[in-house]
C-alpha cells in the first residue's frame, strides 16, 4: 500500500512530470491559456496515460521481453500509444465536439506528449509490475493535469496583467513555470523510499 | 529476426483494423459548433464576410474554410469571442471585408420614395414596410443597418443615419484609466 | 450668483487609507520582532535589512523607469521596502551581501515587475527571492548563528560587517566554528539519522517550547500580527487556519508517535511559522481574495509546511508552502467565489 | 515556398523552440551543458531530416485515419536506429542524454513538421525543411545550454570528452573562475526561466528589426 | 418555493437579522436637525425638468406662454405605467428649454420654465372622500395621477410598483425610514414633524395593495422619531402598524438589506421584495400618497436637507420642485468660504453637481456642500492589491475587485457571472479601497454596458429569427414556384395527352365508321 | 469493412518496412552495444580493484542481505576478483541509509587484505551544493577513503573531524559525510567477519550497477 502511495507522491509531487522531469511540456505550454481547455486536456491525458501505461506494460512484459525484442520497445510503445490516442480522439469527437474543438490540435499531439512515451519507457527502466505501471501512469497524468490546471488559472490572470511587452505570452508563461518548478523544489526528498 | 517483423506487423495490422473500425463507428454527423458560432455573429446579415448571411459564414468557419476575422459588424470583440470559442489566437479584422462602423439604421425619405419595392426585396430581415407604388418606411427597431437596401433604390432615397443617444439614454461613462498606465498624476476629477 | 463646482465620482469622502499606510503598518508591526532578533542574534539582521532595502529600492526604481511608470509614486508605496525587510528576516544574519543582491533581483525584477508590478505578481516576491538563494547557495543559507547566549564566540558589530561584506571571519575562526544548526534543522537531522526527537531536544539551541531565542522572536511576530489584526490590516482567516492546521496535525502526529515527531508547540514556535502566518501568507497580492479561499490558502500553507518539515528535504517548508499555495491561489479563487446575495 | 524561406522559417521565423514552442521537453531537460545540447540537437536534426524524407516519400499512400500512427512508426524507426547507433558508438554521451534519445520520437516538433510540411511537399524540400528546423532547434538548445552553463557553473563546453573523446577535455573553457556555482540555473527552474528570457530576447530583437524596417519604409514613403 | 418564502417573510420584524458587510459611518445628521423644517419662499423662476423618474423624458403638456395653476400636470410620461410632472406654483410658462437638470450626466435637459404669478393658487382640488371605503384601484389611479415616485432615491414610479404589487399578493408593507446615509435628515425630520401623515399614507398604501400590516423601519439612533411615530400610531388607532428600530449600519436603508434585516431572507437575485410578499416604500413616499389621496395635492414639493460644512446654517427645507438650488443655499445662510463640492444626495451615493443653478428635483433628498478639507487629500489611483476589503464590506456579497478586473478587461460574461447586475452601487467598496480605485464608477459603467450588450444580443436574436423566417419564406416561394411550373407542365402534358386520345378516338371512330360502311 | 482492411494493410506495410530496417540495424549494432555496456561497468568497477585478476569480474557476482550491517533489507551485490584461485579483491555495492535525503548508493572496492581500494558514489539525493560533495565530480573527498582499513584509522577515528575523527566534513553539512563514513565502516566490518562467505558463495544473476 505504502509503495503505491509513494509512487503517487513521487509522480505527482517530488518528481512531477512537468516541473521536475520535463515531460509533457508542449501541451503544458500550449493548452494552458484557458482553464476549460486545461481541464479537458487533463482529463483526456489522465485517461490516455493510464491506459497506455498499462497496455505498453503488457506489450513489454508479454511480447517484447519473452521474444527478446527489447530494442523494439520504442516502436511498440509508440504504436500502442498512437492507437489509444486515436481511439480517444474519435470517441471524443463523437461525444463532445466542443471539447474536441477546444483541445484542437492537441489531442493528436497527446501522442507526441513525451510524458506518455516517457511513462512507458520509465516503467521498463524502473521494472514496474502491472499495478505499479497503472499507478505510475495515473500519477504522472495527475501530476501533469494538476499543474496544468493551476498554470492555466494563473495564465488567465497574467493575460490581463501589465506585463512588459517583450515578456507577454510565452516568456512570462515560462517564467511562471520556472517559479512553479522553484516551488516544487520544496518537495525534493519527499518520496524517499 | 522473423519474430520481430511478424509480431510488429501483426500488431500494426491489428491497430489499423481497430482504427478503421473506429473511424466508421464514431463518424461525426452534425456540428453544433455552427450554432455556437452563429450565436456570436452579430446577425446584421450584411454579407460583408463574403457569405450570404451570418449562418453561412458560421458554417464556413466551422468547416475551416473561412478565417474568423471577416465580419466587420462583429468587430474586435466578435473576433475575440470566436477565438475564445474555438481556442485559437485572435487576429485583427481583415480590412478587405470592411471596417467596423457605428450602428446606424436606414431612413427612407418618404417624399422621394416612388414605392418600387426593390428595397423590400433586398432587406434580409424584413425591416421595410410598404406596398407597390406606396410609400415605404423602415422599422427602425428591426433594421440591422446592413446597407443592403441602398444600392437597389432607383431614386437614392434611402440614407443611413447613426442611431443617436439622448439624455434619457445616458449611461455612466467609462472611468479614466489608472494613472500609472497614463504615466501622469491626474486625479479622476473633471472640471465642471 | 450661480456658483460652479468641480465634480467627481461618489463616494465623496476623503480616502480612508492608502496602500502606503497599509505597508507602513505592516513594517511597524515587524519592529518588535526585529528588535528581538537583534537581542538574540546580534546586529547582523540590521545590516541585512539595510542591504536588502537598498537593493530592492534600486531594482524597483530601475524597473519602474524601464516600464515608464511614475517612480516616485510607486517607490512611495513601500511595498518594495516591505518585501526587502521580510526577505532579510528569512536569511541568516551573516549571509554575504550578494545573497541580498540576487534575492532582490529575483524578488523585485522577476517575481514582481515582469508580472506588471505592484498588485499583479502571482508569487510572493520575498519568498521567491528567498527560495532562489536557498536552493542556489545552500551553504551560505544554512550558516545560522546560534543565539548570543550560547554562542561560542559572539561577534561584534565590525566583525559582523566584515563577515557580510567581505566574507572574512575574525581571527582564525571558521564558519563551522561559529555557525550551528537551527532547531528545525536538528529535528530534521535526527529524523534523517533515525534518532529520537528527545535526543535532539537535549541540544542547547532548544528553549522552552521552541528554539532558544527563536521562540521569543516568534512571540513578537505574533504580537505584531495581532496588532495588524486589530488594525484590520490583515484578516484572521490565514493566520488562524495556518497555525490551526499545524497545531492540529502536529498534535495528531505527536500523539501517535512522540518519538519521531516534535510537539505541535515546537512546530509553531520554531522556524518561520509565525512570520509566515502573520506576515507572509497574508500577502494580499499573491494570496487568495475570497474568504473561503483564504481559509483554504492558510490551511494549505500549514499542511504543506508540516509535510515538508516531516518528510521533505528541507528543514523548514514555509517558503515553499507559500509559493505552492500562490500557485494554487488563482484556481482556488475561481472556485471559492462567495455566494452572491440572493443567489 | 522558396528554400530561403524554408531556411529562415526553420532557423528564426518559425523556430520550434522559441516561436512554435514545440519540442520543449528535451530543450529544457538536456540544456544543462552545451555538450549535451549539441549531442541531442544533432540527433534531433538527423531524425528530422530522415523522418521528413520518409514521410514525404510515403505521403500519398497514407489515409487520414492511420496517418498519425504511420508517421509515428516512421519516426520511431528512425529514432531507434539513431539510438542504436549512438549506443554503439557514442555510449557515454548516450548515457548522459538518457531517456531523451528515445523521447525524440515524441518531440512534438518532429511530428509537427511531418504533418505540416512533409506530408504536403516533395522529398527534397521536406528534407531541407527538416534540416532547417533541426538546426533551429539545435541553435536554441545550444543557446540555452550556454546560458545555463555559464550562469550556473561559469564554464562552457565542459565534459566535451563525452562527445569528442579524451581530447575533448581540452575544449572546456572557464569563463568565470572561482564561480561559486549558481545552482538555480542548472536546476529545473533555471531551465524554464532561461528559455523565457531567450524568447523575450528574441521578441526584443524581432521588435527592433521591425522598428528598423518600419522606419526605413516610413522614410521612403514620402519620397 | 415562493409560497414558502412568503410565509417566512410574514415573520418580518419579529427578530432582527444581519446583513453582510456594510460600514459604520460617522452620522453627521445632528447639524441639520436643530431647527424645524422651513418653507422656501417663492422663487423668481422655476425650472421643472421633464426627466424626473426612472425611464424616459416626459412629454410637455403645456406650451410657452400658457397660464397654469399650482398642481396642474405639465408633463406626462409614457413609460412604466405613465405618470406626470406638475406645476409647483401658479404662473406662466415662459419657455420650454434646455437647462441644467440636476442629472448625473451633468448635461442639460428639457425643462419647463415657470414664472410665478405670486398667487400660488391651487388647481381645483378633488380629494377622495372617505378613502377607507374607496376601491383600491381608485387609490392607485390617484397615486399615478399625482406623479408620485419613490422618494427614497430611486424615483421609480410608485403607481407602477403598487400596481404590480397588488397583483402579486402582498402581506406586509415596509416603510423605509432608516435613512442610512450620513448627513441626510429629511426623512427623520418628516417622521418627527408629520408622523400622522406617514401613518395615514401607510394605511392608504396598505389598502391600495391589499397588505395586512405595515412595518416602519427606523434607525436605532433616532430616539425622538420612535416616540412621535408611536404616538401617531396610537392616535390613529391602527393596530397593524409596527415600528422597528434597526441597527445603524450603512446601507441598511437599501431595500434588499432592510428586508434581510427584518426577515432574514434574501431577495432573490434579479427579484424584488414582492417575491417575498413585501413592498418597500420610503416614508416620504407614504406622505406624498396621503397628501395625494386626502388632499388631491400632487407631488410638487419635498423636504430637502441642506447641509455640510460648506453651508453656513444647515437645516431642512420644504422646497418646491424646480426651485434653483442656489435659493436653498441662500436660505441656509449661503456657502462658507471653503465650499468645494456640491452634491445632490448623500456623500455615499449622491452625485456632484457642477452648478447651483440646477433645480430641485423629486430625487433631491439632500443638498450636501463639502469643503476642501472634507474631500482632501485627493489620492492617485493605484493598482489593486487584492486586499479583499471591498469584498468584506460589500452588502451584495460580491467580489468588487474581480468585478473591476473583468470590466476593465472587457470580460463581460465573467462580470455577469460575478454578479455585476446585483451591485446596488452603495459605494462601500469604493470607500474602503486603499488603492482608491473608483470601483462604483466602473460598476455603473459596466452595468450599462452589460445592458447594452444584452439588448444587442436580443436584437441580434430577433434579426436572426426574421432572417431565417425570410429565408424559409423565400425557399417556400421558390419551391411553390417550381411546383407551379411543374404542375403547369404536367397540365400541359396531360392536355396534350387528352388531345391525342381524342384525336385517336376520333380517328378510330372515323375508321370504324368507315369500316362499318 | 473494406476501410478497415485497407487501413490495416497500410499500417502493416509501414510496420514491416520499419521493423525490418530496425532489425537489420539491431543485428549490426547489438554486439558492440553489449561490449560498450560491459566496458562502462568495467570502467567503474575497474577503478576499485587491482589491475591483476583473471576471472570474469562481471559474471562472478552474487547478491545477499544482512540487516545488521546493511539495514533496511537492502540487497547488497558483491563482485569478486580472483587471481588464479586466490581471492584478489571484492567490490560491494550497498546503500548508506542515513543520508540527509535518503539512501546513498556506494561502491566499495576492498582488497583481500582488508584495505580499501576505493569508494565511489553511484547515486544519491543529497542537497545540491551542500551534500553533493561526495561525488567525485564535485570534490576529491571520496578519494580520502583510498587505502584506509579498519585499523587505519582506528575505529573511533572513523568519524568526521568535528566529532574527533579523521575525515573532513563539508561546510554546513555533516550528515552526508557521516552517513557515508559509517556505511563504509560497516561494510569493512562485514568483510572482516564474513570473508569466507563472500568469496565462496556461488555466483548468481542478481544485481547490476544501476539498481
Ligand atoms: C413590477 C416592478 C418592477 C420594477 N422594475 C424596476 C426596474 O426595472 N428598475 C428599477 O430600478 N426598479 C424597479 N422597480 C422598483 C424596485 O422594487 C425598487 O424599488 C427600485 O429598484 C429602487 O430600489 P433601490 O432604491 O433599492 O434601488 C420595480 C418595482 C416593481 C414593483
Ligand atoms: C445603498 C442604498 C441605500 C439606500 N438607503 C435608503 C434610505 O436610507 N432610505 C430610503 O428610504 N431608501 C433608501 N434606499 C432606497 C431603497 O432601496 C428603496 O428603493 C426605497 O426604500 C423604496 O422606496 P421608494 O420607492 O418609496 O423610494 C437605498 C438604496 C440603496 C441602494
Ligand atoms: C535546505 C538544507 C539542506 C541541507 N542538506 C544537507 C545535506 O544534503 N547533507 C548534509 O549533510 N547536511 C545538509 N543540511 C544541513 C543539515 O541540516 C545540518 O545542519 C548539518 O548537517 C549540520 O552540520 P553542521 O554542524 O556542519 O552545520 C542541509 C540544511 C538545509 C537547511
Ligand atoms: C499583510 C501584508 C503582507 C505582505 N507580505 C508580503 C510578503 O510576504 N512578501 C512580499 O514580498 N511582500 C509582502 N507584502 C507587500 C506587498 O503586498 C508585496 O510586495 C506585493 O506582493 C508586491 O506586489 C505584504 C503586504 C501586506 C499588506
Ligand atoms: S459580415 Fe455581415 S453577414 Fe457576415 S457574419 Fe458579419 S454581420 Fe453576418
Ligand atoms: S432596412 Fe435596409 S439597412 Fe435596414 S436591415 Fe433592411 S436592408 Fe438593411
Ligand atoms: S458598490 Fe456594489 S460592489 Fe461595491 S460594495 Fe456596494 S454593492 Fe458591493
Ligand atoms: S479594496 Fe481596493 S485594493 Fe483592496 S481588493 Fe478591493 S479593489 Fe483591490
Ligand atoms: S517535447 Fe513536446 S511534449 Fe515533450
Amino acid at each position: 500500500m505504502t509503495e503505491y502511495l509513494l509512487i503517487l507522491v513521487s509522480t505527482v509531487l517530488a518528481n512531477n512530470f512537468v516541473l521536475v522531469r520535463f515531460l509533457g511540456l508542449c501541451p503544458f505550454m500550449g493548452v494552458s491559456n484557458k482553464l476549460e481547455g486545461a481541464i479537458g486536456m487533463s482529463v483526456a491525458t489522465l485517461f490516455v496515460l493510464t491506459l497506455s501505461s498499462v497496455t505498453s506494460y503488457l506489450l513489454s512484459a508479454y511480447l517484447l521481453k519473452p521474444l527478446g525484442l527489447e530494442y523494439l520497445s520504442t516502436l511498440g510503445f509508440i504504436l500502442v500509444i498512437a492507437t489509444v490516442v486515436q481511439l480517444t480522439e474519435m470517441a471524443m469527437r463523437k461525444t463532445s465536439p466542443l471539447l474536441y474543438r477546444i483541445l484542437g490540435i492537441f489531442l493528436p499531439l497527446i501522442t507526441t506528449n513525451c510524458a506518455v512515451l516517457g511513462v512507458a519507457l520509465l516503467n521498463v527502466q524502473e521494472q514496474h509490475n502491472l499495478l505499479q505501471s497503472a499507478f505510475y501512469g495515473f500519477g504522472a497524468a495527475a501530476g501533469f493535469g494538476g499543474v496544468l490546471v493551476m498554470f492555466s488559472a494563473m495564465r488567465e490572470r497574467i493575460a490581463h496583467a501589465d506585463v512588459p511587452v517583450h515578456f507577454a505570452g510565452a516568456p512570462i508563461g515560462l517564467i511562471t513555470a520556472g517559479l512553479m518548478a522553484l516551488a516544487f523544489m520544496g518537495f525534493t526528498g519527499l518520496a524517499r523510499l | 529476426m522473423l519474430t520481430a517483423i511478424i509480431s510488429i506487423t501483426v500488431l500494426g495490422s491489428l491497430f489499423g483494423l481497430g482504427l478503421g473500425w473506429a473511424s466508421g463507428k464514431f463518424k461525426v454527423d452534425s456540428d453544433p459548433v455552427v450554432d455556437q458560432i452563429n450565436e456570436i455573429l452579430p446577425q446584421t446579415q450584411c454579407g460583408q464576410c463574403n457569405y450570404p448571411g451570418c449562418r453561412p459564414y458560421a458554417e464556413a468557419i466551422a468547416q475551416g474554410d473561412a478565417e474568423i476575422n471577416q465580419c466587420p459588424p462583429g468587430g474586435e470583440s466578435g473576433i475575440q469571442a470566436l477565438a475564445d470559442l474555438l481556442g485559437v489566437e485572435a487576429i485583427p479584422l481583415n480590412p478587405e471585408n470592411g471596417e467596423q462602423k457605428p450602428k446606424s439604421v436606414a431612413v427612407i425619405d418618404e417624399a422621394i420614395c416612388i414605392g418600387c419595392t426593390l428595397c423590400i426585396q433586398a432587406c434580409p430581415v424584413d425591416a421595410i414596410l410598404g406596398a407597390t407604388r406606396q410609400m415605404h418606411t423602415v422599422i427602425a427597431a428591426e433594421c440591422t443597418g446592413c446597407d443592403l437596401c441602398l444600392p437597389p433604390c432607383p431614386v437614392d432615397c434611402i440614407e443611413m443615419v447613426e442611431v443617436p443617444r439622448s439624455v434619457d439614454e445616458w449611461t455612466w461613462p467609462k472611468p479614466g484609466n489608472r494613472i500609472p498606465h497614463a504615466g501622469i498624476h491626474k486625479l479622476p476629477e473633471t472640471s465642471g | 450668483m450661480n456658483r460652479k463646482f468641480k465634480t467627481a465620482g461618489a463616494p465623496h469622502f476623503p480616502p480612508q487609507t492608502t496602500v502606503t499606510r497599509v505597508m507602513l503598518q505592516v513594517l511597524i508591526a515587524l519592529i518588535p520582532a526585529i528588535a528581538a532578533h537583534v537581542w538574540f542574534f546580534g546586529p547582523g539582521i540590521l545590516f541585512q535589512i539595510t542591504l536588502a532595502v537598498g537593493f530592492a529600492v534600486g531594482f524597483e526604481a530601475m524597473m519602474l523607469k524601464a516600464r515608464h511608470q511614475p517612480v516616485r509614486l510607486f517607490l512611495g508605496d513601500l511595498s518594495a521596502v516591505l518585501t526587502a525587510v521580510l526577505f532579510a528576516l528569512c536569511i541568516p544574519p551573516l549571509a554575504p551581501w550578494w545573497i541580498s543582491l540576487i534575492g532582490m533581483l529575483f524578488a523585485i525584477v522577476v517575481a514582481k515587475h515582469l508580472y506588471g508590478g505592484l498588485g499583479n505578481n502571482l508569487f510572493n516576491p520575498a519568498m521567491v527571492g528567498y527560495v532562489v538563494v536557498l536552493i542556489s547557495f545552500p551553504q551560505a543559507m544554512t550558516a545560522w548563528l546560534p543565539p548570543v547566549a550560547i554562542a561560542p564566540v559572539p561577534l561584534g558589530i565590525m566583525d559582523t560587517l566584515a563577515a557580510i561584506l567581505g566574507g572574512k571571519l575574525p581571527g582564525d575562526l571558521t564558519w563551522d566554528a561559529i555557525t550551528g544548526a537551527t532547531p528545525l534543522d536538528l529535528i530534521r537531522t535526527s529524523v534523517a539519522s533515525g534518532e529520537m526527537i528527545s535526543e535532539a531536544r537535549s541540544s542547547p539551541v532548544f528553549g522552552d517550547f521552541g528554539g532558544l531565542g527563536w521562540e521569543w522572536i516568534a512571540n513578537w511576530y505574533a504580537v505584531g500580527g495581532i496588532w495588524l489584526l486589530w488594525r484590520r490590516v490583515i484578516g484572521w482567516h490565514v493566520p488562524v487556519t495556518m497555525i490551526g492546521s499545524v497545531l492540529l496535525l502536529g498534535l495528531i502526529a505527536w500523539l501517535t508517535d512522540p518519538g519521531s515527531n516534535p510537539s505541535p508547540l515546537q512546530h509553531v514556535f520554531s522556524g518561520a511559522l509565525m512570520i509566515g502566518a502573520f506576515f507572509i501568507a497574508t500577502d494580499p497580492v499573491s494570496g487568495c481574495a475570497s474568504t473561503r479561499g483564504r481559509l483554504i490558502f492558510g490551511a494549505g500553507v500549514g499542511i504543506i509546511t508540516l509535510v515538508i518539515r516531516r518528510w521533505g528535504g528541507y528543514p523548514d517548508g514555509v517558503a515553499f508552502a507559500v509559493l505552492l499555495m500562490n500557485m494554487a491561489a488563482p484556481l482556488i479563487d475561481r472556485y471559492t467565489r462567495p455566494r452572491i446575495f440572493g443567489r | 515556398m522558396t528554400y530561403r524561406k524554408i531556411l529562415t522559417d526553420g532557423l528564426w521565423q518559425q523556430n520550434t523552440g522559441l516561436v512554435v514552442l514545440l519540442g520543449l521537453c528535451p530543450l529544457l531537460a538536456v540544456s544543462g551543458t552545451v555538450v549535451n545540447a549539441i549531442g541531442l540537437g544533432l540527433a534531433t536534426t538527423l531524425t528530422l531530416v530522415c523522418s521528413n524524407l520518409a514521410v514525404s516519400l510515403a505521403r500519398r499512400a497514407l489515409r487520414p485515419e492511420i496517418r498519425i500512427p504511420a508517421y509515428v512508426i516512421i519516426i520511431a524507426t528512425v529514432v531507434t536506429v539513431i539510438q542504436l547507433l549512438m549506443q554503439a558508438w557514442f555510449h557515454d554521451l548516450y548515457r548522459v542524454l538518457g531517456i531523451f534519445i528515445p523521447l525524440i520520437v515524441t518531440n512534438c516538433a518532429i511530428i509537427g513538421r511531418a504533418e505540416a510540411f512533409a506530408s504536403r511537399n516533395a522529398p527534397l524540400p521536406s528534407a531541407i525543411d527538416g534540416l532547417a528546423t533541426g538546426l533551429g532547434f539545435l541553435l536554441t538548445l545550444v543557446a540555452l545550454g550556454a546560458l545555463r552553463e555559464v550562469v550556473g557553473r561559469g564554464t562552457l563546453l565542459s565534459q566535451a570528452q563525452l562527445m569528442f573523446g579524451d581530447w575533448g577535455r581540452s575544449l572546456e573553457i572557464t569563463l568565470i573562475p572561482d564561480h561559486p556555482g549558481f545552482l538555480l540555473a542548472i536546476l529545473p527552474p533555471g531551465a524554464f526561466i532561461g528559455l523565457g528570457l531567450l524568447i523575450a530576447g528574441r521578441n526584443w530583437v524581432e521588435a527592433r528589426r521591425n522598428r528598423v524596417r518600419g522606419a526605413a519604409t516610413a522614410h521612403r514613403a514620402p519620397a | 418555493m415562493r409560497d414558502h418564502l412568503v410565509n417566512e417573510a410574514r415573520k418580518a420584524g419579529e427578530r432582527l437579522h444581519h446583513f453582510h458587510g456594510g460600514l459604520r459611518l460617522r452620522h453627521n445628521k445632528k447639524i441639520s436637525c436643530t431647527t424645524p423644517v422651513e418653507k422656501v419662499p417663492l422663487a423668481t423662476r422655476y425650472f421643472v425638468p421633464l426627466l424626473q423618474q426612472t425611464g424616459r423624458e416626459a412629454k410637455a403638456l403645456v406650451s410657452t406662454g400658457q397660464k397654469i395653476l399650482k398642481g396642474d400636470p405639465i408633463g406626462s410620461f409614457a413609460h412604466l405605467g405613465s405618470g406626470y410632472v406638475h406645476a409647483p406654483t401658479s404662473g406662466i410658462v415662459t419657455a420650454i428649454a434646455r437647462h441644467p437638470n440636476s442629472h448625473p450626466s451633468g448635461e442639460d435637459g428639457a425643462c419647463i420654465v415657470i414664472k410665478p404669478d405670486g398667487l400660488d393658487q391651487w388647481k381645483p382640488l378633488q380629494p377622495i372622500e372617505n378613502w377607507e371605503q374607496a376601491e383600491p384601484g381608485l387609490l392607485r389611479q390617484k397615486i399615478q395621477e399625482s406623479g408620485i415616485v419613490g422618494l427614497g432615491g430611486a424615483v421609480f414610479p410608485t403607481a407602477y410598483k403598487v400596481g404590480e404589487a397588488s397583483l402579486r399578493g402582498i402581506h406586509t408593507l415596509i416603510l423605509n425610514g432608516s435613512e442610512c446615509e450620513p448627513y441626510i435628515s429629511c426623512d427623520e425630520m418628516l417622521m418627527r414633524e408629520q408622523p400622522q401623515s406617514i401613518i395615514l399614507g401607510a394605511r392608504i398604501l396598505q389598502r391600495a395593495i391589499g397588505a395586512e400590516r405595515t412595518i416602519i423601519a427606523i434607525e436605532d439612533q433616532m430616539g425622538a422619531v420612535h416616540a412621535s411615530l408611536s404616538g401617531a400610531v396610537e392616535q390613529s388607532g391602527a393596530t397593524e402598524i409596527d415600528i422597528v428600530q434597526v441597527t445603524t449600519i450603512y446601507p441598511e436603508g437599501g431595500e434588499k438589506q432592510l428586508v434581510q434585516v427584518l426577515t432574514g431572507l434574501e431577495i432573490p437575485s434579479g427579484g424584488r421584495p414582492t417575491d417575498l410578499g413585501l413592498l418597500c416604500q420610503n416614508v416620504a413616499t407614504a406622505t406624498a400618497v396621503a397628501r395625494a389621496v386626502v388632499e388631491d395635492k400632487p407631488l410638487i414639493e419635498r423636504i430637502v436637507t441642506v447641509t455640510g460644512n460648506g453651508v453656513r446654517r444647515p437645516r431642512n427645507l420644504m422646497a418646491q420642485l424646480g426651485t434653483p438650488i442656489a435659493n436653498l443655499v441662500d436660505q441656509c445662510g449661503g456657502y462658507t468660504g471653503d465650499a468645494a463640492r456640491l452634491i445632490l444626495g448623500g456623500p455615499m451615493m449622491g452625485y456632484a453637481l457642477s452648478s447651483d443653478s440646477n433645480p430641485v428635483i423629486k430625487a433631491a433628498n439632500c443638498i450636501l456642500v463639502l469643503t476642501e478639507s472634507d474631500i482632501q487629500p485627493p489620492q492617485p489611483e493605484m493598482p489593486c492589491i487584492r486586499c479583499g476589503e471591498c469584498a468584506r464590506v460589500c452588502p451584495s456579497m460580491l467580489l468588487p475587485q474581480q468585478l473591476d478586473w473583468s470590466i476593465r478587461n472587457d470580460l463581460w460574461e465573467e462580470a455577469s457571472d460575478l454578479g455585476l447586475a446585483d451591485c446596488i452601487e452603495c459605494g462601500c467598496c469604493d470607500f474602503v479601497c486603499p488603492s482608491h480605485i473608483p470601483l462604483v464608477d466602473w460598476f455603473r459603467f459596466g452595468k450599462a454596458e452589460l445592458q447594452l450588450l444584452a439588448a444587442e444580443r436580443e436584437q441580434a436574436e430577433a434579426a436572426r429569427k426574421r432572417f431565417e423566417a425570410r429565408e424559409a419564406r423565400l425557399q417556400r416561394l421558390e419551391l411553390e414556384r417550381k411546383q407551379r411550373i411543374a404542375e403547369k407542365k404536367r397540365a400541359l402534358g396531360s392536355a396534350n395527352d387528352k388531345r391525342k386520345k381524342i384525336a385517336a378516338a376520333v380517328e378510330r371512330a372515323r375508321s370504324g365508321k368507315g369500316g362499318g360502311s | 469493412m473494406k476501410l478497415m482492411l485497407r487501413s490495416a494493410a497500410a499500417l502493416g506495410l509501414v510496420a514491416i518496412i520499419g521493423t525490418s530496417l530496425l532489425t537489420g540495424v539491431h543485428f549490426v549494432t547489438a554486439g558492440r552495444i553489449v561490449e560498450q555496456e560491459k566496458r562502462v561497468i568495467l570502467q567503474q568497477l575497474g577503478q576499485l580493484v587491482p589491475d591483476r585478476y583473471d576471472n570474469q569480474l562481471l559474471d562472478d557476482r552474487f547478491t545477499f542481505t544482512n540487516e545488521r550491517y546493511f539495514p533496511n533489507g537492502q540487497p547488497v551485490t558483491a563482485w569478486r576478483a580472483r587471481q588464479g584461485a586466490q581471492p584478489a579483491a571484492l567490490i560491494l555495492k550497498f546503500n548508506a541509509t542515513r543520508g540527509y535525503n535518503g539512501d546513498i548508493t556506494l561502491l566499495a572496492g576492498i582488497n583481500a587484505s582488508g584495505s580499501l581500494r576505493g569508494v565511489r558514489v553511484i547515486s544519491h539525493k543529497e542537497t545540491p551544493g551542500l551534500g553533493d560533495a561526495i561525488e567525485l565530480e564535485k570534490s576529491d573527498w571520496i578519494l580520502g577513503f583510498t587505502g584506509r582499513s579498519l585499523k587505519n584509522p582506528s575505529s573511533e577515528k572513523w568519524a568526521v573531524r568535528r566529532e574527533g575523527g579523521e575525515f573532513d566534513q563539508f561546510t554546513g553539512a555533516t550528515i552526508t559525510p557521516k552517513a557515508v563514513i559509517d556505511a563504509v565502516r560497516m561494510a569493512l566490518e562485514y568483510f572482516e567477519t564474513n570473508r569466507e562467505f563472500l568469496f565462496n558463495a556461488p555466483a548468481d544473476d542478481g544485481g547490476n550497477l544501476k539498481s
Side-chain angles (χ1 to χ4, degrees), chain C residues 275-336:
Chain C
I275 185 177
F278 286 105
F279 294 91
I280 293 172
T282 47
D283 176 19
V285 177
S286 53
C288 285
S290 65
T291 310
R292 268 192 302 157
R294 285 182 174 177
L295 294 175
I296 298 175
F297 188 90
V301 174
I303 293 169
I304 297 175
T305 302
L306 217 58
V307 166
I308 293 178
R309 282 185 182 181
R310 177 66 184 79
W311 290 288
Y314 289 90
D316 202 352
V318 174
F320 292 106
V322 167
L323 291 184
L324 286 163
M325 290 311 289
N326 285 166
M327 270 168 59
L331 191 67
I332 297 174
D333 268 346
R334 238 332 245 260
Y335 290 104
T336 56

Side-chain angles (χ1 to χ4, degrees), chain A residues 18-26 29 71 74-75 78-79 82 86 90 108-109 111-114 117-118 121-122 166-168 170-171 174-175 177-179 181-182 185, chain D residues 21-25 28-29 64-65 68-69 72-73 76-77 80 83-84 99-100 102-103 105-106 108 111 184 187-189 191-193 195-197 199-200 203-204 207:
Chain A
V18 179
L19 296 178
V20 183
R21 296 203 99 129
F22 296 120
L23 292 169
L25 285 169
C26 302
M29 289 304 296
Y71 67 93
T74 311
L75 183 53
I78 200 73
L79 257 181
Q86 194 94 359
M90 289 178 194
L109 285 187
T111 323
T112 56
N113 178 341
C114 316
L117 182 59
L121 291 169
L122 287 168
H166 300 311
F167 282 87
L174 280 162
I175 288 173
L179 296 182
L182 193 70
M185 294 286 300
Chain D
L21 296 185
L22 291 178
L24 292 178
C25 306
L28 295 180
E65 71 268 13
I68 301 264
V72 165
I73 296 179
T77 308
T80 314
Q83 177 186 356
L84 292 174
I99 191 181
F100 284 95
L103 281 185
V105 175
T106 57
C108 310
I111 197 154
L184 182 80
L187 291 170
F192 286 107
I193 296 175
L195 185 60
L197 293 178
I199 297 178
N203 288 349
W204 181 75

Side-chain angles (χ1 to χ4, degrees), chain C residues 142 176 181 185 189 313-315, chain F residues 100 126-127 130-131 162 172-177:
Chain C
T142 50
D176 278 348
D185 217 357
T189 310
Y314 289 90
Chain F
Y100 192 80
E126 301 308 282
T127 314
L130 213 50
R162 163 179 286 199
T174 30
I175 311 297
T176 314

Side-chain angles (χ1 to χ4, degrees), chain E residues 10-96:
Chain E
R10 280 179 196 276
K11 297 188 201 137
E14 278 176 19
R15 193 163 73 77
L16 293 189
H17 304 260
H18 289 284
F19 65 90
H20 181 264
L23 297 170
R24 285 177 194 275
L25 297 169
R26 214 176 305 130
H27 228 191
N28 287 333
K29 292 192 197 249
K30 293 255 155 52
I31 52 171
S32 54
C33 291
T34 48
T35 52
V37 178
E38 285 172 21
K39 248 188 117 52
V40 179
L42 272 187
T44 49
R45 283 279 186 292
Y46 285 86
F47 301 88
V48 185
L50 285 174
L51 180 61
Q52 287 215 48
Q53 67 178 40
T54 316
R56 302 248 160 139
E57 256 180 14
K59 225 164 81 186
L61 295 176
V62 290
S63 46
T64 312
Q66 191 174 333
K67 206 168 149 23
I68 47 173
L69 293 176
K70 183 172 181 175
D72 274 343
I74 53 176
S76 89
F77 294 95
H79 289 258
L80 293 173
S82 75
Y84 297 93
V85 185
H86 301 83
T89 184
S90 58
I92 293 176
V93 176
T94 56
I96 301 173

Side-chain angles (χ1 to χ4, degrees), chain B residues 132-164:
Chain B
T132 317
R133 251 166 291 196
Q134 290 192 345
M135 192 179 65
H136 290 26
T137 22
V138 177
I139 309 169
E142 300 192 348
C143 170
T144 61
C146 69
D147 289 1
L148 292 181
C149 51
L150 302 193
C153 180
V155 288
D156 276 347
C157 70
I158 311 181
E159 207 184 349
M160 300 307 293
V161 189
E162 257 183 53
V163 187

Side-chain angles (χ1 to χ4, degrees), chain B residues 41-54 57 70-74:
Chain B
L41 295 177
Q43 308 299 333
T44 307
Q45 316 293 1
C46 61
Q48 289 183 78
C49 50
N50 297 332
Y51 291 88
C54 302
Y57 178 44
Q70 302 181 356
C71 171

